[in-house]
Amino acid sequence: MSALNTANTKNTNLYDLSFEELTAFLAGQGERPFRARQLYSWLYGKGEGSFAAMTDIPAASRARLSETARADGLFLAESLASADDSTAKYLFGTDDSHYIETVFMKYKDRNSVCISTQVGCRMGCKFCASGRLGLKRGLAPAEMALEVILSEKAAGALAKNIVLMGIGEPLDNFDAVKKFIENFTDDHGRDLSRRAITLSTCGLVPGIRRLASELPQVNLAVSLHAPNDALRREIMPVTKRYGVAEIVEATRQHYETTHRRSTFEYTLIDGFNDSPAHARELAALLRGMNCLVNLIPLNSGGYRGAREQSSTNSSVHRGSGAETAQRFRDILGDRGVPATIRKSLGSDIEAACGQLRLRYES
Ligand code: SF4
């Protein structure tokens, strides 16, 4: 039995429980095992957290559940839709008055939802609004499940892919993230394939190793953004703990264990990391790996560099132009490293993570 509290208290959030834990919880209320299958199907299959709506469950059982458990924990505070309706951003409030963001993206053949895994972040990447107020706390499995379910309801569509790339560093909240993934992919509920889930990290090497061994079907995306330690340290302080070579090696080992192709995310920042020399250095670093480089033009808002933040004469870094991005991609491609330039969806609704939340939290 897990350490999770399955006692009969109103604090038990059913979205925090694995199927086995839910079965034990209901057994404590005198329910037969099939009730857990029914309930899990409501929670994940139908995305329904209101006991009143679960009409095939006897009224007496629902009344008991209402007194002892809950299946909520987020409320929709604000939503923004892009002009072309391809992207919606949802700001959810938590029980303890924090805010997180979820982005729902509609593509032709599939929909994808990008969820937050922490309230804030302690990694301090300079180009990211999510970490500006530091880390408040990790999200619970229930809160991550509700991000998916409530954003699907608001968007009026189901997500086929889940991307853990919103606010927070997922590997810094590993246990809760793992539980969320296990619950969401349980065949008693949603039965989503773990191959449809991608976890993005700034490069926490022990976490990458854990991911490979404990959730080998989940896809790995690594936010690299620079081809060497000196440059990367300027924008990603985590580089002091884990250097570029160590991160790339952990990613290489991840492929050896899982046989799943990893992605390296590389934000192109004008005049900073986008020269032909940087492209050649990156190609040499990744040569021979089964990976894809995702080149991302920096969000239109830009950011202030570490040195400039304390200066009144500050300059704002901008994204690279289209020609520079294509040249960078071609240099990688010529050297056998596949790369794509990501279309930036929804920049008109501040889709870069953390920007909407900042307005509420600060
Ligand atoms: S980019 Fe990711 S890891 Fe870095 S501060 Fe933002 S949320 Fe945290």
Side-chain angles (χ1 to χ4, degrees):
M1 175 61 69
S2 125
L4 259 176
N5 174 23
T6 53
N8 285 356
T9 71
K10 182 79 177 165
N11 288 331
T12 300
N13 193 319
L14 300 189
Y15 278 116
D16 275 331
L17 305 185
S18 67
F19 179 73
E20 291 71 28
E21 288 166 341
L22 180 66
T23 306
F25 178 79
L26 292 173
Q29 300 191 351
E31 297 282 3
R32 306 269 300 279
F34 75 90
R35 190 72 71 218
R37 283 197 294 278
Q38 243 177 336
L39 205 48
Y40 228 67
S41 162
W42 273 109
L43 293 172
Y44 291 98
K46 301 183 185 76
E48 183 56 69
S50 160
F51 300 132
M54 302 176 182
T55 46
D56 59 352
I57 295 177
S61 299
R62 283 187 274 147
R64 243 188 334 267
L65 278 172
S66 304
E67 284 165 18
T68 57
R70 57 186 303 210
D72 60 6
L74 290 184
F75 67 92
L76 184 59
E78 189 174 334
S79 58
L80 298 171
S82 65
D84 64 1
D85 207 28
S86 67
T87 308
K89 173 176 275 197
Y90 301 111
L91 185 79
F92 291 112
T94 65
D95 281 350
D96 54 350
S97 306
H98 288 302
Y99 292 90
I100 53 169
E101 293 178 8
T102 308
V103 179
F104 196 96
M105 290 154 286
K106 291 181 181 166
Y107 298 96
K108 255 192 218 124
D109 51 342
R110 72 204 149 85
N111 299 320
S112 188
V113 62
C114 175
I115 66 166
S116 299
T117 53
Q118 295 182 305
V119 179
C121 184
R122 61 174 146 195
M123 299 301 147
C125 305
K126 297 290 184 277
F127 49 83
C128 174
S130 300
R132 246 170 247 170
L133 301 176
L135 174 69
K136 305 294 181 194
R137 65 173 175 85
L139 291 178
E143 291 171 313
M144 291 181 250
L146 286 164
E147 282 188 77
V148 179
I149 286 163
L150 297 182
S151 64
E152 285 179 333
K153 277 196 175 158
L158 285 181
K160 288 267 192 281
N161 294 87
I162 300 176
V163 186
L164 283 68
M165 205 181 270
I167 296 169
E169 163 54 59
L171 296 180
D172 193 35
N173 188 22
F174 194 99
D175 291 338
V177 163
K178 181 180 174 189
K179 188 85 185 271
F180 155 70
I181 292 173
E182 287 173 341
N183 292 354
F184 221 91
T185 54
D186 190 298
D187 57 11
H188 294 95
R190 182 68 163 261
D191 194 18
L192 184 81
S193 166
R194 290 186 189 174
R195 292 167 189 269
I197 298 178
T198 300
L199 181 150
S200 172
T201 177
C202 66
L204 301 188
V205 167
I208 293 174
R209 295 201 188 109
R210 250 190 104 181
L211 185 72
S213 88
E214 296 179 33
L215 293 166
Q217 290 168 317
V218 169
N219 304 299
L220 171 67
V222 176
S223 293
L224 198 61
H225 306 314
N228 60 61
D229 288 349
L231 203 61
R232 194 170 190 262
R233 264 198 297 268
E234 288 197 36
I235 53 171
M236 300 183 76
V238 69
T239 312
K240 288 177 205 142
R241 280 162 70 198
Y242 306 108
V244 167
E246 196 183 356
I247 293 168
V248 170
E249 181 52 29
T251 309
R252 200 185 297 272
Q253 284 168 9
H254 180 275
Y255 178 79
E256 295 299 320
T257 306
T258 66
H259 301 292
R260 298 200 64 70
R261 183 169 80 157
S262 300
T263 304
F264 287 99
E265 309 284 326
Y266 195 102
T267 297
L268 288 166
I269 304 166
D270 186 32
F272 176 73
N273 63 354
D274 63 349
S275 72
H278 292 133
R280 287 192 291 272
E281 195 177 359
L282 183 63
L285 190 67
L286 305 182
R287 187 168 295 140
M289 278 183 80
N290 193 343
C291 67
L292 174 74
V293 176
N294 222 341
L295 298 169
I296 310 156
L298 182 68
N299 184 266
S300 55
Y303 80 97
R304 289 178 200 286
R307 283 182 298 245
E308 291 89 352
Q309 279 182 6
S310 56
S311 159
T312 45
N313 265 337
S314 61
S315 62
V316 176
H317 292 281
R318 299 285 176 201
S320 310
E323 259 179 48
T324 306
Q326 279 159 20
R327 183 182 62 194
F328 203 97
R329 181 195 58 194
D330 292 345
I331 292 172
L332 292 176
D334 290 346
R335 285 160 175 75
V337 178
T340 56
I341 300 170
R342 187 156 84 195
K343 187 174 167 255
S344 187
L345 283 177
S347 57
D348 56 328
I349 57 162
E350 303 176 294
C353 74
Q355 291 181 3
L356 178 58
R357 167 181 171 258
L358 270 188
R359 281 206 266 127
Y360 279 70
E361 289 259 347
S362 52

